[in-house]
Amino acid sequence: MGSPWKGFVEFTLPASPPTAFVSADLSSTSPVGLSLSPYGRSMSFDPGMLHSNGHTAYANGTGPGIREIGVVEKLLTSYGFIQCSERQARLFFHCSQYNGNLQELKIGDDVEFELSSDRRTGKPIAVKLLKIKPEVLPEERISGQVGPDLHAYPFTVLHGYIHPVVSSIPMHLDGKSAPGQVPTGSVCYERNGEVFYLTYTPDDVEGNLHLDTGDKVSFYMDTNKHTGAVSARNIQLVKKKQMRCQGVVCATKEAFGFIERADVVKEIFFHYSEFKGDLEALQAGDDVEFTIKDRNGKEVATDVRLLPQGTVIFEDISIEQFEGTVVKVIPKVPTKNQNDPLPGRISARIGFTDKELPFGEKDTKSKVTLLEGDHIQFNISTDRRDKLERATNIDIYPDTFDFTKETREMGVIAAIRDGFGFIKCVDRDARMFFHFSEVLEESQLHISDEVEFTVVPVGPLYNLFAKDMLSAQRNHAVRIKKLPKGTVSFHTQSEQRFVGVVEKELVATSNKNTSPTRGKEKETEEGTIAYEDCGVKLTVPFHAKDLEGGGLPQAGDKVEFSINEVKRTGLQSAVSIRVLNRNSSNTKRLHGFVATLKDNFGFIETANHDQEIFFHYSEMCGDLENLELGDTVEYTLSKGKGNKVSAEKVTKVAAVNGIGDDVVATVMMGKVIRPLRSVDPSQTEYQGLIEVAEEGGVKGQNYPFGIMGMANKADCLQKGELVKFQVCTVTQTAQKMACNVVPQRRAMVECVKDQFGFITYEVGESKKLFFHVKEVQDGLELQTGDEVEFSVVLNQRTGKCSACNVRRVSEGPKPVATPRPDRLVNRLKSITLDDASAPRLVIVRQPRGPDNSKGFNVERKTRQPGVID
């Protein structure tokens, strides 16, 4: 608004009219009671216009002025402008119209004035200004709280006063209200028993915080200059309202844990001291409720309490199942920049829309590896907190291998460990590692089970179907499917039978003086068979394990066989070899029974059960691992150095009758007066001897026995042991011998130590017999004093005996804890720290830990004598 003033001279008029006039070039008019000549040479003074300032004080010059209030909006040296409080108007005023000290008038002061009009221009102006003394509001901070949470509307001006909005500012309205409207809330405070409400806006809150209903705050009171409304400003948060939240315990550590919140997708820390309940029963997956507090700038859960299981629900899972295809798999080795908890993707058509849903590791029904292109079924899970949809309960369809076009291999389970195993592959040399979690259909695998599988590198899933995959040592088998028996074959065997002649015999490569250890199959140089096929003369190798019947074929023997071809290598060999007729120069073959097995040699009991023949493991044909005591064998006698007789070309054959067919049904009691030579190598006779101990006509009669007469071939009968036995007649010699010999042993358990113990039983020079707890029948825990029955076995390698098949007959007396002697108790009670005669501990060298640290980590405390902590 432009001013009509061109110049102004401030002066004070005397009570009487002045005798001199001030000359000034103020243009042609001046509204200060001065009449100017247009030529600027003379000036007339009108005393009647001194206080009216050249304006009438009446509206339109007809009556007294209207008093209004306003705010000084602009103030210059000699004039200013006022903003009316009750209407939209801006009025000019001259400083001479202010009634008071002009130095105290400032912009923003409330003033009262009369409305007048300029006499010359007719425009409204303010005259007779009077400063209004402002209401003094308390400048101390007032404590209050954010009002109760009602519906939040922007405040409305209703006839000059504020319609109160009793609420906090909704989070979704911050900065997003309608144009021209500011979201507001309210705070309440109490004065003299009355509750007052004040509005506030987001700009009135310090620290850009969001206040919730019920929060404790402090603030200053402020009055709006234009409206006179009182509001809160400089609001500071004093204390957040404690709200009870819910969640699920997702992790537990030694002294603290974490809770997955049910209101937001976030985890929160809690200390075990904040758990109100049985801490031993708390575990991951429990539903809890808690209060959130701020400690050291971080939110923590306090007052944690258990809720009934199933109270907290994070997501809603669809009842309907959907079909889809895996388009992105979860990497086996996450990258450093991978922060997505749901890295997998599934493409599916849901309704009439194609969707791509994420999934994580926990969303699959099993731990079987998923591949891109897998045909799967799943449910849709919707998170209640952020409405995120994901695929869950993912299961592979059986026909998925038709979609992935992956290379499937076959093999046989070769070994099983705790949680993993190895597969013998048809097309690979190395065994393939696999984990139980990769087995489809949750079928339990056993050794020799036939399976189908996919081979992938140990690292990330890449180059999956390439031929130049990583070495077998870095591969493993996944997606394992069990196959019916007979599906997997490592070789092909011809249906046609061939007839040929042994061209080269099987020859042992091991030196007899350096025999192999028992348990390893004897290495032999393969033999050769010559035959004709379609008029072509051919040769094929053969091995001892492929022979049928007893005896090794020798050069010139005519044999019948089939041809076996290994799929992986294509190598051929003769199998199912049967000797048609032997060379006339062959030596006579004898039958016998395995009586003793040592580290690299053994003894054979003859068919007459009266002698034993030595044999070396290098002369054993076939699998030595399956050879046991009492097995029937076929062999040839030969003489070595010093004319010592030994068995050669030993072959295991089908079992024959042990001793004889004529067995007396009567069971007799007897006593061993001579053990077998395998038990006492110092004796010259091989056979053991039993004396009848029953009263009657046969008491005192002796019967010999051999290894085949023992009911348990591994039992070690000692001299003097009582036995039960029957009598039989040997068919070849008509000799009567003891058979079905069963020892009658009973003794007391001397002691038990963790995994083993000792029985009070004399064996040889030892007066106690060792046993392992695994040998105790029915899994019982033996105690000292228990009476047991058992068998004695001889370790052929160490020559020591031990008990097996231990069975408890009766329990011994229960052990009673021996109290401390009175003299020791009295001495402990009498010892004091001040007793000079008491034992003293002198530290010779400070203790040192394994990490070379000195001293103790735990502070030592003085122990009171005679007091047990």
Side-chain angles (χ1 to χ4, degrees):
M1 181 177 181
S3 173
W5 296 78
K6 300 298 182 179
F8 180 73
V9 176
E10 183 178 0
F11 57 90
T12 304
L13 295 176
S16 60
T19 58
F21 296 93
V22 177
S23 176
D25 183 13
L26 299 176
S27 186
S28 60
T29 60
S30 177
V32 293
L34 298 177
S35 178
L36 303 178
S37 168
Y39 303 103
R41 293 187 180 272
S42 63
M43 178 173 63
S44 62
F45 175 69
D46 183 3
M49 296 181 63
L50 178 63
H51 296 291
S52 65
N53 208 20
H55 304 280
T56 176
Y58 305 98
N60 299 324
T62 60
I66 301 173
R67 300 296 289 180
E68 294 187 21
I69 60 173
V71 178
V72 177
E73 183 184 68
K74 187 175 182 180
L75 184 62
L76 298 178
T77 305
S78 58
Y79 67 94
F81 292 90
I82 298 173
Q83 176 69 47
C84 297
S85 297
E86 299 179 358
R87 59 191 178 94
Q88 293 292 331
R90 188 169 182 264
L91 302 177
F92 169 87
F93 76 93
H94 194 272
C95 291
S96 62
Q97 293 295 316
Y98 176 66
N99 186 11
N101 186 359
L102 192 61
Q103 299 296 327
E104 295 179 357
L105 187 64
K106 298 179 182 179
I107 295 175
D109 286 347
D110 294 333
V111 293
E112 186 182 46
F113 59 91
E114 285 186 7
L115 182 64
S116 181
S117 60
D118 189 297
R119 180 183 298 175
R120 187 178 62 85
T121 63
K123 293 182 178 181
I125 62 173
V127 296
K128 299 181 181 181
L129 278 69
L130 182 65
K131 185 176 180 179
I132 300 174
K133 188 176 180 180
E135 180 184 358
V136 180
L137 296 177
E139 277 299 315
E140 75 275 6
R141 294 195 72 85
I142 301 174
S143 296
Q145 73 175 33
V146 180
D149 190 10
L150 301 179
H151 294 292
Y153 302 98
F155 67 84
T156 308
V157 179
L158 299 176
H159 306 291
Y161 66 91
I162 302 299
H163 177 68
V165 180
V166 189
S167 68
S168 62
I169 301 176
M171 293 184 65
H172 64 278
L173 291 180
D174 285 352
K176 297 181 180 180
S177 57
Q181 295 178 335
V182 180
T184 64
S186 69
V187 295
C188 61
Y189 68 98
E190 183 180 357
R191 279 289 173 87
N192 299 325
E194 293 187 57
V195 177
F196 299 92
Y197 291 88
L198 301 177
T199 60
Y200 74 94
T201 66
D203 295 335
D204 296 322
V205 182
E206 295 184 357
N208 196 24
L209 297 175
H210 176 79
L211 300 179
D212 295 318
T213 302
D215 289 347
K216 302 294 183 183
V217 294
S218 66
F219 56 91
Y220 291 110
M221 295 175 62
D222 190 25
T223 303
N224 189 296
K225 299 293 185 180
H226 302 287
T227 64
V230 181
S231 61
R233 63 177 174 84
N234 300 107
I235 301 174
Q236 293 181 353
L237 177 65
V238 176
K239 184 179 180 182
K240 292 289 291 184
K241 179 185 177 183
Q242 294 185 357
M243 300 179 63
R244 297 296 286 174
C245 300
Q246 294 182 346
V248 174
V249 177
C250 58
T252 55
K253 306 296 183 183
E254 291 185 0
F256 60 91
F258 292 90
I259 300 171
E260 185 175 358
R261 294 171 58 175
D263 53 343
V264 293
V265 183
K266 187 178 180 181
E267 292 181 1
I268 188 169
F269 168 91
F270 77 98
H271 195 272
Y272 286 166
S273 60
E274 295 290 346
F275 180 70
K276 310 302 181 184
D278 184 9
L279 190 59
E280 297 294 332
L282 184 66
Q283 58 185 357
D286 285 345
D287 294 355
V288 293
E289 66 173 358
F290 54 92
T291 301
I292 299 177
K293 287 188 177 181
D294 192 353
R295 291 180 180 171
N296 298 328
K298 295 183 178 180
E299 289 185 338
V300 298
T302 61
D303 191 19
V304 182
R305 299 177 185 272
L306 278 176
L307 292 174
Q309 200 70 16
T311 302
V312 180
I313 300 176
F314 291 110
E315 55 194 14
D316 299 313
I317 299 177
S318 66
I319 300 176
E320 181 183 359
Q321 285 193 323
F322 303 91
E323 292 187 23
T325 303
V326 177
V327 295
K328 182 181 178 183
V329 298
I330 301 174
K332 289 292 185 182
V333 181
T335 59
K336 293 182 179 179
N337 299 326
Q338 180 181 329
N339 297 320
D340 188 1
L342 304 173
R345 295 291 183 272
I346 289 175
S347 176
R349 187 168 184 83
I350 300 174
F352 299 98
T353 307
D354 291 331
K355 283 190 176 182
E356 188 171 279
L357 299 172
F359 70 93
E361 292 184 357
K362 297 181 180 180
D363 291 320
T364 55
K365 279 190 174 181
S366 65
K367 297 299 181 182
V368 176
T369 300
L370 290 177
L371 300 181
E372 290 184 6
D374 266 336
H375 186 206
I376 50 95
Q377 64 178 358
F378 62 94
N379 298 93
I380 294 180
S381 170
T382 305
D383 198 309
R384 292 184 174 183
R385 298 167 291 182
D386 57 1
K387 305 304 178 184
L388 174 67
E389 289 186 342
R390 77 174 198 277
T392 190
N393 296 333
I394 301 171
D395 197 11
I396 299 176
Y397 274 114
D399 63 348
T400 187
F401 303 116
D402 300 331
F403 291 84
T404 58
K405 305 299 182 183
E406 59 195 282
T407 303
R408 302 287 285 174
E409 299 186 18
M410 293 191 292
V412 174
I413 303 297
I416 290 180
R417 302 289 186 267
D418 186 13
F420 64 94
F422 294 89
I423 300 174
K424 182 180 179 183
C425 305
V426 173
D427 301 321
R428 297 173 183 262
D429 293 332
R431 291 183 174 185
M432 193 63 59
F433 170 88
F434 75 93
H435 197 274
F436 285 172
S437 61
E438 291 290 347
V439 180
L440 294 168
E441 301 172 358
E442 298 182 357
S443 55
Q444 189 173 2
L445 295 181
H446 303 87
I447 293 179
S448 299
D449 280 349
E450 300 174 11
V451 292
E452 182 185 61
F453 56 91
T454 301
V455 177
V456 298
V458 174
L461 295 175
Y462 66 95
N463 198 23
L464 187 59
F465 307 111
K467 294 182 180 179
D468 53 343
M469 299 179 74
L470 301 177
S471 61
Q473 287 76 12
R474 299 186 58 189
N475 295 341
H476 61 219
V478 298
R479 302 157 68 87
I480 300 168
K481 181 180 179 181
K482 189 174 180 180
L483 299 175
K485 284 289 185 183
T487 305
V488 178
S489 176
F490 290 88
H491 54 264
T492 56
Q493 184 172 326
S494 63
E495 297 181 359
Q496 180 183 356
R497 298 285 289 176
F498 299 89
V499 177
V501 177
V502 175
E503 190 176 77
K504 179 183 177 183
E505 297 181 9
L506 293 169
V507 180
T509 57
S510 301
N511 191 331
K512 292 184 181 181
N513 296 327
T514 58
S515 302
T517 304
R518 167 160 164 59
K520 293 184 179 180
E521 188 173 338
K522 178 176 66 71
E523 296 180 0
T524 58
E525 188 176 309
E526 62 184 18
T528 306
I529 299 174
Y531 71 102
E532 287 188 7
D533 185 15
C534 299
V536 180
K537 292 185 177 181
L538 302 171
T539 60
V540 63
F542 72 97
H543 304 86
K545 63 182 180 64
D546 297 318
L547 299 175
E548 291 183 356
L552 290 176
Q554 298 182 356
D557 283 350
K558 189 176 182 180
V559 293
E560 184 184 42
F561 60 93
S562 298
I563 294 180
N564 177 77
E565 182 176 337
V566 180
K567 288 183 178 180
R568 179 171 50 83
T569 61
L571 296 178
Q572 293 183 340
S573 62
V575 296
S576 303
I577 306 170
R578 184 166 58 87
V579 179
L580 297 179
N581 57 357
R582 291 188 178 277
N583 195 337
S584 57
S585 60
N586 286 348
T587 309
K588 182 180 179 181
R589 304 282 289 174
L590 303 176
H591 281 84
F593 311 95
V594 178
T596 307
L597 293 172
K598 300 290 185 180
D599 277 349
N600 50 21
F601 64 91
F603 290 91
I604 299 174
E605 182 182 280
T606 60
N608 294 335
H609 311 288
D610 56 352
Q611 294 182 0
E612 59 180 358
I613 306 296
F614 171 88
F615 77 98
H616 197 275
Y617 288 163
S618 60
E619 295 293 340
M620 183 67 197
C621 302
D623 189 4
L624 186 62
E625 185 69 26
N626 297 327
L627 194 62
E628 302 291 344
L629 292 176
D631 285 349
T632 304
V633 294
E634 190 180 57
Y635 62 95
T636 302
L637 290 177
S638 66
K639 290 186 178 181
K641 295 181 180 180
N643 288 329
K644 291 184 177 180
V645 178
S646 63
E648 291 184 345
K649 301 177 182 178
V650 181
T651 306
K652 182 177 177 179
V653 296
V656 296
N657 291 335
I659 296 182
D661 296 329
D662 186 13
V663 179
V664 179
T666 305
V667 178
M668 294 184 288
M669 291 291 297
K671 180 180 180 181
V672 178
I673 59 176
R674 186 178 70 202
L676 290 173
R677 188 178 178 184
S678 59
V679 178
D680 184 8
S682 61
Q683 67 187 32
T684 56
E685 298 84 357
Y686 162 71
Q687 291 179 321
L689 205 61
I690 297 176
E691 182 183 38
V692 178
E694 291 181 338
E695 297 290 338
V698 295
K699 182 180 180 181
Q701 188 173 349
N702 298 334
Y703 291 97
F705 69 94
I707 189 66
M708 299 305 294
M710 301 285 297
N712 180 6
K713 307 297 187 291
D715 212 336
C716 182
L717 285 179
Q718 302 291 321
K719 182 178 179 180
E721 284 192 307
L722 296 178
V723 294
K724 289 183 178 180
F725 67 98
Q726 294 173 281
V727 178
C728 66
T729 303
V730 179
T731 306
Q732 295 89 335
T733 61
Q735 182 186 12
K736 292 186 179 295
M737 297 184 65
C739 66
N740 299 330
V741 181
V742 179
Q744 302 295 302
R745 301 188 185 99
R746 284 196 179 185
M748 298 293 182
V749 176
E750 182 179 279
C751 63
V752 179
K753 299 179 180 180
D754 194 17
Q755 297 296 315
F756 62 91
F758 292 93
I759 299 173
T760 305
Y761 188 79
E762 186 174 350
V763 179
E765 298 179 357
S766 177
K767 297 188 180 296
K768 54 185 178 180
L769 185 64
F770 171 89
F771 73 93
H772 197 278
V773 295
K774 292 182 179 179
E775 295 293 341
V776 180
Q777 295 182 2
D778 301 328
L780 299 176
E781 293 185 6
L782 297 181
Q783 304 291 336
T784 301
D786 289 350
E787 186 178 14
V788 293
E789 289 183 349
F790 54 92
S791 299
V792 178
V793 293
L794 176 65
N795 188 316
Q796 302 286 354
R797 184 174 59 84
T798 62
K800 295 183 178 180
C801 294
S802 62
C804 68
N805 300 328
V806 182
R807 185 176 66 87
R808 185 169 66 186
V809 178
S810 61
E811 295 187 33
K814 298 294 182 182
V816 180
T818 305
R820 285 185 173 184
D822 292 339
R823 57 180 179 80
L824 179 59
V825 174
N826 294 333
R827 177 161 178 76
L828 289 174
K829 291 181 178 180
S830 63
I831 292 177
T832 63
L833 295 178
D834 299 330
D835 189 359
S837 62
R840 296 292 179 183
L841 179 65
V842 179
I843 300 177
V844 179
R845 177 181 60 82
Q846 288 290 344
R848 190 183 300 272
D851 57 351
N852 210 26
S853 61
K854 296 182 179 180
F856 296 95
N857 292 329
V858 181
E859 181 182 357
R860 286 192 156 188
K861 298 180 180 179
T862 304
R863 179 181 176 276
Q864 296 296 329
V867 177
I868 300 176
D869 294 336

